[in-house]
Structures are given as structure tokens and as C-alpha cells.
Amino acid sequence: MTERELDRIIEMAWEDRTPFEAIAYQFDLPEKEVIKVMRKHLKRSSFNLWRKRVNSGVSKKHLKKRNPEIDRFKCSRQKLISGNKISKR
């Protein structure tokens, strides 16, 4: 995994509205592996805050918690994402 991919995975994991399934789709990385990446690359306190937020009702990291009318991983205004070649800005 390149540094750029790692940065993007961490960024996507931090975003409340990006589900784990989107990360798995783009990077072939299941939720358990995302958690391992976050644990390894974040300070312990940051990791604990992230896990607390992910498991709270605020985060929509799990598709089960999302509104069923939302059936996409990305904003309708976002450029087409293909594979791992992602440009956020």
C-alpha cells in the first residue's frame, strides 16, 4: 500500500458519511483491516475517539445505520471515482 493510498484510507475512515463498504470497494480492505490500519497509524487517543464515534449513532460508517434511500458511496457532484486513482481535491 502506498503512502497516498494509506492517507486516503485514513481520510475516508475519518469521514462519518463514508461507509466501510466504500473503502472495501475502492481498496479491497474489509472493516477489520481498516480498524487495524487506523490503530497502527493514529495516536491511541485519536484512535479511541474515532472508534467511539464510529460506534455511536452519529456516524453512518455502517450501511445498516444509513437511510435506505441513499444507495451510493459518493456525492452526486463528485467526479467519477475509478479504482484507486482518487483525487479528492
Side-chain angles (χ1 to χ4, degrees):
M1 182 178 325
T2 67
E3 187 175 337
R4 184 175 181 173
E5 291 171 335
L6 180 63
D7 287 344
R8 182 64 181 139
I9 291 168
I10 292 171
E11 184 178 16
M12 290 174 75
W14 267 112
E15 296 169 348
D16 286 333
R17 293 185 183 187
T18 304
F20 286 115
E21 289 81 2
I23 299 170
Y25 175 78
Q26 291 180 22
F27 296 99
D28 197 29
L29 205 62
E31 180 180 347
K32 287 184 178 187
E33 294 300 315
V34 173
I35 294 169
K36 287 180 183 178
V37 166
M38 296 296 277
R39 187 184 313 263
K40 182 177 179 182
H41 295 286
L42 296 179
K43 294 186 296 183
R44 178 151 178 104
S45 60
S46 297
F47 174 77
N48 289 341
L49 287 172
W50 175 74
R51 285 300 290 159
K52 185 177 180 181
R53 195 175 77 232
V54 166
N55 291 324
S56 73
V58 173
S59 177
K60 305 297 182 205
K61 296 302 285 182
H62 299 93
L63 286 180
K64 293 181 275 182
K65 294 181 181 180
R66 294 183 89 171
N67 182 336
E69 294 177 8
I70 300 173
D71 61 352
R72 64 195 188 294
F73 289 146
K74 60 184 177 133
C75 174
S76 60
R77 296 174 305 281
Q78 183 179 356
K79 289 183 179 179
L80 181 64
I81 296 175
S82 62
N84 291 338
K85 296 178 181 176
I86 300 168
S87 175
K88 179 133 181 176
R89 294 184 177 92

